[in-house]
Each structure stands twice: as C-alpha cells, then as structure tokens.
Amino acid sequence: MNKEKETKTKEKTVKARKVTFPISTKLVLIFSVLVILVLGITTYMVSTLVRNDNQVKAEENNHTLNGRTAETVQQTFQNVQNNANGFLNTLLLIKDSENYQSEMDLLFGDFIERNPSVVFLYTSDIGMKMSSAFESAHSQAGTQFINWLKINSDIEEKVLNGEILVKNISFISNSPVVCVMFPHYNSYIEKTDFVTVAFSVDQLISLMSTGSYNMTFLLNKDGEVLIHSDEQMMLNNTDLSYLEIVRTIKTSDNQNSQKLLPDEKGDRWFYAYHKIIGDMVVVTCVSENDVFETIKRTTYRIVLISLIVFFLAILIIRWFSKSLTHPIDDLVDATKSIEKGEYNFKLVPKTHDEIGYLTGNFMEMAGGLEERERLMSSFSKFTNKVIAQKAAKGELEIGGQNKNATIFFSDIRSFTALSEKLSPNEVVDFLNDYFARMCECVDKTSGIVDKFIGDAVMAVWGAPESAGNPEADAWNAVKAALMMRIALYHLNQQRIQEGKVPVKIGCGINSGPIVAGQIGSADHMNYTVIGDTVNLASRTEALNKPFATDILITENTYELIKDKVIVEEMPGVHVKGKEAAIKMYAVINAVGVKGPDNIHKLREFLGWNEPDLAKVNTDEEEKKYKING
C-alpha cells in the first residue's frame, strides 16, 4: 500500500510539473534570454565598432583639416613678413636718394598692391605707413595703434630682443585685423628696427569656416584669439587661456598633437593643434556629441527593430514548441531507461525534420553508450592515459618497482574560503579550468599526473618512464612548475578582468627513490608512487605559504639541476631519521630566461608580501594530508 501511494504521489508530481512548466514556456524563456542577450551584445558591438570607427575618422579628419589650415596660416604670415622685409630692404638701397620720400611712397604703394590684405606698416625708423583705403575708412587707427604700443611698452622691448609677436588689434578698426611684430636689422644705421605689419584676415576667417561640425581658430602664445570664425570673439579680443586644451598646449613640447578634453561646460571635444611661427597655435575641434550623434540614432533604431523581432519570435516559438512535445516525451522515457542501465528499447523516427534526425542519432548514441559502458568498466581503474595505454599493452605488472623519480605537489591557497563563495557547479568549472591549465604543463614536460587530491595536484617524472636520467626528470618537473607560474598568471589576469579574486598556489618538488606500481584491490587498481620522497615533496609544498613562495625544491632536486636555475635558499626542514636539516630552495627563475632574478622581485611579480622568516616553524607537521610509504 505504501509503495502504491508513493507511486501515485510521484505521478501527481510529474503531472503538476508538466502543467506548471510546459515546454513552450521554457522555450519562450530560453529564447527570450538568448534574444535579449544577443540583442544586447549586438547593439553593444555595433555601437562600439561604429563608435570606434567614427572616432577614428573624426580624429583623422580633424587632424588633417588642422594640418592643412596650419600650413596655409603659416604660409600667409610668412609671406607677409617676408614681403615686409623685402620692402624694408629695398628702402635701404634708396636711403641716400634725393627723392627718397616720393620713391618710398611708390614702393609702399607697390607693396600694398601685391599684398592687398595689409592695412599698415609701422617701423621705429619710418613711422606709420597706411594703405589709402584703410586710412580713409579708419583715419584714427594709426594713432590708436601707437597709443596702444605706448601702453604696452614691453611689446617693443620683447621684439627688439628677438621675439616675434602676433596680436589681435581689431579694436583699432572694429574689423578683423591682426598684426605681426618682428625685428629687422637696419644696416644703414646699424640698428635693429621694431617692425609691425597689420593685415586683414577676412580670407583666413573664410578658410576656418568649414561649414561642417569642425571649428578652427588661431591663438597666440598667451591664449588670445587671433582669428576665429566668430568675428565677435576677435572684436572682443577674447582670451581662451582658461580652456584645458590651451593649458595643455602651453605645457606640451609637441609641435602637433590631438587630445580629447572638456570645455568650460564639461562637454568633451576632439582637439587637434599645430604650433606655427610666432608661438601661434592653430586649433581645430569638433564636439564629441556631434561625432556620435549618428550612432545614437542608429542604436535606437536597432533596439526598436530588435524588440519587434523579439515579440514575433515569441509567438512563433510558442506555436513551434507544440510540435516538439510528443517526440521529446519519447526521448525522455528513453533517457530514463538508459539511466537505469537498460539499453534494449527501440525508437522509430516519426518525422523527417531535426527531431526525427535526433531520434535516429539518439538510438545510435544509446548503442554507443552501451559499448562505452563496457569499456569504462574495463578502464575505470586508470586515471592517466599513459598508464592506461601501458596496461592495455601489458607493459605494467602488478606490484611495485624501485625507481629514482621526481615528485611534484601543488595546492591552491585558501581554496576552502574561495569555494565557499561559489556554487558547486562554479567550483567544478573553476577546478576543471585550473586543472586543465596545470595538467597541460605536466604533459608538455613528459610528466604523469598521478592524482588530484581536492584542489591539489600530484605528479611524477621518472615513473613509469624516465626522460633518460634523474637530472632530466628533475629539470622537467621544475620546468613544468615554471610553466604553471606563467599559466596561473594568465588565468589570474582573466579572473581580474572578470572581477574575480586571483588565485595563489604553492608547488613542492623533491627527487629521490620511490616505489611505483599498481596498488589497490582486485576490483580497482591505481598506478601510483609511494615512499619518503613523496612525503617530503608534500611537506615541501606546504612550506610555500609561510615562506611566501610559489615553487620550493628540496636539496635533493637542487643538486640535480643547480646549474639551470636561479634559487634563494630558505630555512631547512628536519626529517625523521636525519639529524641535519634538509635544505629548501625557492625557485626564482631559469638561468638565461627574462624575468625576476631575486626573491623580492619574484614576490613583487606574484603580488605577495614579504614574510617574517624568523617566525616560520619549518618542522610543524602538515595537517592537510600526508602520503605514507
């Protein structure tokens, strides 16, 4: 009666589960999560890729535009300065002429005709010479400029000391005018003249008004606006020295560069700049918001379209799931039979779609599982591929063999605390990933993974096969440990990027005589190694924690490979039966390999603190486990 009640209860539970969580609902939930995940990743990738592409293009365009503009501006200023120097040099040639004044006027008229943008030329020798058009429109401009020079008396002094200054003097004419002030040596009177050439910059303003999102302007070394597409800023003689880009340019030694910096409102701009003559700087900028505006609109469209597709997919999945229910129920019943170890059943595909194909493959899989079950029964005794192959070939005999080998133990530090924060599945996934990386290092150095003890790895070199001699086996074991150090470094880098705690391990290596062979019962045997050499290797591994090291080798191993490794001697360990302590060595690096060359640099690389070795009791018994001989 009790069994009947239990059976009915189970049937009711199964029925309730089918009603509560139908396949259609599960499929909808699964596909919903997948679609949302794909939607998020796709949207992110598209926006990121396009954003990066747009940023690169915007920076290239900004830098190119800035370079072309800087070249034109510099050429313009150089032409004005060179032409003015040519005019002044010509005046020196006619200095003694009886008609000097009239000839100078003719030359100046020719100079203005060839340089129509020039509005006046002033020197300490000849005084003020203005173009007739500018003088008729701004008759007081000359007086205003000379008064301005008197107020700013330091300007002439700086120029006569060899500086070239450029100033915005739009205030004298209420129109965009810039002057370049430079020294000119007058050989006639053997004196350096103070020269000022003022010219209209209307054409340069047009050049800088690109009509796109980019904005270009010219500053002098003090951060004052010389040329700007906004004429009002020139007329107001605006000072932009408060901008972060201007402060950056002043402190930078680069002649041209590109920066992404905020303005006074906090909005970020892409700035490109070129330094040119007269300590002037041509700056071209474009707002980050303008660059990425198109991406935002595109992203919104992608999200909208994806949501529509998402809801349509839900409707289709609900309809499609009904056609899966009955064939899947048959497959579920078949899996229950396999779970009980029963393989004598037959499923006939009823459709020609993927479900029918799955049913046919399922039957083939069932046959394979049956065969695999038989093979697993034969080979379940073996945990290592090499051992299994030797056993299959009859190369392993029951019993033990005396060998000289190198034993390796490794252990994860604070694994208990780490595993308490993870679910069982996460612990298994982590250990699988960790063991795969560590075992790969053992395999590459011709070692054998003997067993896993929780989070620990035991490996052996020299049994059942040797690399040729004890020295080669010992060196292979140490190489494997060094490879594990690098493999763990890459694993920790990945964990840190994922926001996880990095992992620390300790490795202990000892060399000496061991007994190797198949140990166990008639039903289950295991190839392993035992002996004092194994016990000391386990104890050596445990000392990594107080020593703040990751690879410790005993004196026995060190004597075999001392010419191949850089080591640091640690406090010794007393072993039963021996009065003298066995020396321990921390492996720093292999000889001739780039990396740490002392214990302090190694600990710095590992991210470990320096220990107080005076407080370390090397003779304390290992409490985790001990492999007895």
Side-chain angles (χ1 to χ4, degrees):
M1 291 295 292
N2 292 334
K3 289 184 178 180
E4 291 180 0
K5 288 182 179 180
E6 290 178 1
T7 303
K8 290 181 179 179
T9 302
K10 289 181 180 178
E11 290 178 354
K12 289 180 180 179
T13 302
V14 172
K15 290 180 180 179
R17 286 177 179 174
K18 287 183 178 180
V19 171
T20 307
F21 302 104
I23 291 176
S24 60
T25 302
K26 292 180 181 178
L27 286 174
V28 168
L29 289 175
I30 292 172
F31 277 93
S32 296
V33 172
L34 289 175
V35 170
I36 292 173
L37 183 62
V38 171
L39 167 64
I41 294 175
T42 302
T43 303
Y44 172 77
M45 290 184 64
V46 170
S47 62
T48 301
L49 292 175
V50 175
R51 181 185 180 90
N52 292 339
D53 187 53
N54 275 23
Q55 179 171 337
V56 170
K57 290 180 180 178
E59 289 179 339
E60 289 178 352
N61 179 64
N62 202 43
H63 192 266
T64 301
L65 180 62
N66 179 257
R68 289 201 303 262
T69 305
E71 184 178 0
T72 302
V73 172
Q74 176 159 290
Q75 188 65 45
T76 300
F77 275 83
Q78 285 179 334
N79 288 341
V80 169
Q81 185 178 347
N82 291 338
N83 290 339
N85 278 324
F87 168 71
L88 295 174
N89 289 334
T90 303
L91 290 184
L92 294 178
L93 298 176
I94 63 170
K95 189 68 176 178
D96 296 327
S97 174
E98 295 179 357
N99 301 316
Y100 172 73
Q101 189 63 44
S102 60
E103 290 178 3
M104 179 178 65
D105 291 339
L106 288 174
L107 288 173
F108 182 73
D110 180 66
F111 170 72
I112 293 298
E113 186 176 348
R114 288 186 289 107
N115 301 275
S117 61
V118 174
V119 296
F120 71 77
L121 184 146
Y122 171 82
T123 75
S124 54
D125 179 38
I126 67 174
M128 176 69 68
K129 299 291 291 183
M130 302 178 66
S131 71
S132 57
F134 184 78
E135 185 175 15
S136 62
H138 309 284
S139 57
Q140 299 300 317
T143 303
Q144 289 178 296
F145 174 75
I146 293 172
N147 291 336
W148 176 75
L149 274 182
K150 291 178 180 179
I151 296 173
N152 299 276
S153 57
D154 61 321
I155 291 178
E156 187 171 352
E157 181 181 351
K158 290 178 180 178
V159 171
L160 292 177
N161 286 330
E163 292 188 43
I164 298 176
L165 300 181
V166 182
K167 292 290 185 178
N168 176 9
I169 56 171
S170 300
F171 65 89
I172 68 172
S173 61
N174 200 31
S175 62
V177 176
V178 170
C179 69
V180 55
M181 294 169 280
F182 57 92
H184 178 267
Y185 181 70
N186 190 328
S187 60
Y188 188 82
I189 60 175
E190 296 182 350
K191 179 182 177 183
T192 298
D193 283 344
F194 168 78
V195 180
T196 300
V197 181
F199 59 98
S200 172
V201 291
D202 289 333
Q203 290 185 348
L204 292 179
I205 292 175
S206 300
L207 174 68
M208 295 182 180
S209 302
T210 60
S212 62
Y213 292 124
N214 300 80
M215 178 172 60
T216 303
F217 50 90
L218 179 67
L219 305 175
N220 62 16
K221 66 177 182 180
D222 297 320
E224 298 173 352
V225 173
L226 298 177
I227 303 175
H228 200 287
S229 56
D230 183 358
E231 289 189 15
Q232 197 59 43
M233 296 187 71
M234 294 184 62
L235 298 178
N236 294 337
N237 203 19
T238 304
D239 183 358
L240 297 180
S241 58
Y242 62 88
L243 288 178
E244 187 169 346
I245 181 61
V246 178
R247 295 197 298 268
T248 300
I249 292 172
K250 285 183 178 180
T251 58
S252 174
D253 294 330
N254 294 329
Q255 293 302 306
N256 65 85
S257 185
Q258 187 153 223
K259 303 287 183 181
L260 177 60
L261 297 171
D263 61 10
E264 72 277 11
K265 298 179 182 178
D267 296 330
R268 301 208 305 172
W269 293 71
F270 292 100
Y271 291 98
Y273 68 85
H274 272 75
K275 294 180 180 179
I276 59 175
I277 61 170
D279 287 335
M280 294 185 291
V281 182
V282 178
V283 181
T284 303
C285 59
V286 60
S287 170
E288 185 181 41
N289 292 331
D290 291 335
V291 172
F292 299 133
E293 180 62 31
T294 304
I295 299 174
K296 292 179 182 178
R297 291 197 300 267
T298 303
T299 302
Y300 292 148
R301 290 175 185 146
I302 292 174
V303 172
L304 180 61
I305 294 172
S306 299
L307 288 175
I308 294 173
V309 173
F310 170 67
F311 286 114
L312 290 175
I314 290 178
L315 297 176
I316 295 172
I317 291 167
R318 286 184 62 85
W319 171 81
F320 177 72
S321 63
K322 295 179 181 179
S323 65
L324 301 178
T325 303
H326 296 298
I328 290 178
D329 284 341
D330 293 338
L331 291 173
V332 169
D333 293 336
T335 58
K336 290 179 180 179
S337 298
I338 292 176
E339 185 178 3
K340 296 176 183 178
E342 300 172 359
Y343 299 94
N344 296 324
F345 58 84
K346 187 175 182 180
L347 290 179
V348 179
K350 298 178 182 179
T351 61
H352 298 285
D353 56 10
E354 289 83 358
I355 297 298
Y357 180 77
L358 175 63
T359 303
N361 282 354
F362 186 87
M363 289 302 300
E364 293 180 6
M365 181 192 70
L369 287 174
E370 185 176 10
E371 180 67 20
R372 182 173 177 269
E373 188 71 19
R374 289 194 297 269
L375 293 175
M376 288 295 294
S377 176
S378 300
F379 288 93
S380 60
K381 307 180 184 74
F382 306 105
T383 58
N384 184 277
K385 184 177 180 181
V386 174
I387 303 300
Q389 290 174 345
K390 284 185 170 290
K393 295 177 182 179
E395 297 177 1
L396 290 180
E397 298 178 0
I398 297 176
Q401 293 179 329
N402 293 322
K403 290 182 176 291
N404 199 320
T406 296
I407 310 301
F408 167 92
F409 279 90
S410 71
D411 185 47
I412 300 176
R413 295 287 169 254
S414 304
F415 178 73
T416 302
L418 176 66
S419 60
E420 287 177 351
K421 300 176 182 179
L422 304 175
S423 67
N425 288 338
E426 290 174 329
V427 173
V428 172
D429 290 341
F430 163 70
L431 285 178
N432 286 340
D433 185 21
Y434 168 75
F435 284 144
R437 296 171 188 256
M438 300 301 107
C439 292
E440 183 181 5
C441 300
V442 176
D443 294 338
K444 286 183 176 180
T445 53
S446 304
I448 298 296
V449 176
D450 185 275
K451 62 174 64 67
F452 301 115
I453 311 170
D455 59 301
V457 178
M458 176 182 172
V460 58
W461 283 259
E465 292 182 343
S466 172
N469 52 62
E471 291 82 1
D473 293 330
W475 175 231
N476 282 338
V478 174
K479 281 197 297 184
L482 290 171
M483 291 167 62
M484 290 180 186
R485 176 187 289 169
I486 301 303
L488 183 68
Y489 172 80
H490 292 299
L491 173 62
N492 282 335
Q493 291 301 307
Q494 177 181 326
R495 289 179 62 82
I496 291 171
Q497 290 178 358
E498 296 172 355
K500 298 177 182 179
V501 178
V503 177
K504 297 180 180 180
I505 69 169
C507 304
I509 301 174
N510 183 34
S511 303
I514 52 94
V515 177
Q518 298 187 76
I519 298 176
S521 66
D523 296 327
H524 185 82
M525 290 181 291
N526 183 36
Y527 185 91
T528 189
V529 294
I530 58 176
D532 289 338
T533 299
V534 180
N535 293 334
L536 182 56
S538 174
R539 188 172 178 186
T540 302
E541 177 277 315
L543 290 173
N544 279 285
K545 185 174 183 180
F547 287 162
T549 57
D550 64 335
I551 304 173
L552 276 178
I553 62 175
T554 64
E555 181 180 5
N556 302 330
T557 302
Y558 174 69
E559 289 299 327
L560 295 173
I561 60 167
K562 58 185 178 181
D563 60 332
K564 297 180 179 180
V565 291
I566 302 172
V567 298
E568 181 87 10
E569 185 173 350
M570 297 283 111
V573 177
H574 286 89
V575 179
K576 292 181 180 179
K578 294 185 179 181
E579 294 183 2
I582 294 180
K583 295 180 180 179
M584 293 287 172
Y585 297 89
V587 177
I588 309 300
N589 204 348
V591 173
V593 176
K594 183 180 180 181
D597 56 6
N598 61 63
I599 190 66
H600 306 294
K601 290 183 179 180
L602 174 61
R603 288 176 179 141
E604 182 181 351
F605 170 76
L606 297 173
W608 296 1
N609 296 325
E610 295 285 342
D612 185 357
L613 296 180
K615 297 181 180 179
V616 176
N617 181 8
T618 60
D619 297 325
E620 183 179 0
E621 290 295 329
E622 172 64 20
K623 298 179 180 179
K624 291 184 181 178
Y625 58 83
K626 182 178 181 182
I627 299 179
N628 296 310

